[in-house]
Amino acid sequence: MFGFVLGTACLIGLVCAVAGRRHYRACGSGYGYRGRFSPWHAIFERLDTTPGQEKTIRMAVEDFLEKAHELRRETRRSRRDFAQAFGGTVLDEAALEGAYGQFSERLEQLKQHAMHAIGTIHEALDDRQRRRLAELIDDGFGWGFRRGSPYRV
């Protein structure tokens, strides 16, 4: 019985070692798919990017997502302000206007961060890659088994 358990553990370790960069939750990474099976890899493969371009694109997207998460945390305060303005016996229009102004300001900041990330990605790609990415965006990236899927066999 012990040999069966030990053999199974060794087989799992071998599969994880052979997988190399392809980490799965079962292999203890906790981050889902990586390597050849990640959406990043599918996009980069279709664009035929260099490692330098991939690093620039990932950094731009990660920076944008980090700033978006920060703004989301701040937006929760705006939601509380909306709730306080609405929850009184009389609608507090001044507080409502202030909360709406803060929300609009944060939305504008998010727009600026998105524009910066898009500009960084645009600069990192050459003309052919930009056209290909524009086609992918227009087609909705073709995830799943639809036409143009990166996973289609």
Side-chain angles (χ1 to χ4, degrees):
M1 181 67 175
F2 179 71
F4 180 73
V5 172
L6 183 63
T8 303
C10 289
L11 181 61
I12 291 171
L14 178 64
V15 168
C16 289
V18 170
R21 288 180 28 140
R22 296 182 307 237
H23 296 287
Y24 305 101
R25 287 190 187 276
C27 297
S29 71
Y31 293 107
Y33 295 110
R34 283 189 177 175
R36 287 185 36 211
F37 298 108
S38 74
W40 281 112
H41 180 76
I43 292 169
F44 291 151
E45 185 176 299
R46 292 174 88 178
L47 294 177
D48 193 28
T49 55
T50 65
Q53 289 174 319
E54 292 176 13
K55 183 177 179 181
T56 302
I57 292 168
R58 283 181 196 239
M59 287 177 57
V61 170
E62 288 172 4
D63 185 45
F64 168 73
L65 291 176
E66 180 181 314
K67 290 178 179 169
H69 287 299
E70 289 173 11
L71 289 173
R72 182 179 182 195
R73 278 183 246 127
E74 292 176 14
T75 302
R76 289 185 180 139
R77 280 186 255 143
S78 294
R79 189 174 65 198
R80 281 188 219 114
D81 293 342
F82 273 117
Q84 288 175 352
F86 187 79
T89 56
V90 177
L91 182 63
D92 187 358
E93 291 184 17
L96 191 62
E97 187 66 36
Y100 184 73
Q102 290 175 356
F103 182 76
S104 296
E105 181 181 316
R106 289 185 184 111
L107 192 58
E108 184 63 31
Q109 289 174 357
L110 184 63
K111 176 184 156 190
Q112 293 301 321
H113 293 309
M115 295 295 287
H116 181 264
I118 291 168
T120 302
I121 293 168
H122 188 269
E123 289 175 10
L125 299 175
D126 62 27
D127 289 337
R128 181 189 57 79
Q129 292 168 328
R130 286 185 202 121
R131 283 191 303 274
R132 182 65 183 135
L133 183 57
E135 291 171 5
L136 289 172
I137 292 169
D138 188 36
D139 290 343
F141 289 96
W143 300 126
F145 295 102
R146 295 176 295 182
R147 175 183 62 84
S149 170
Y151 301 111
R152 195 171 182 186
V153 179

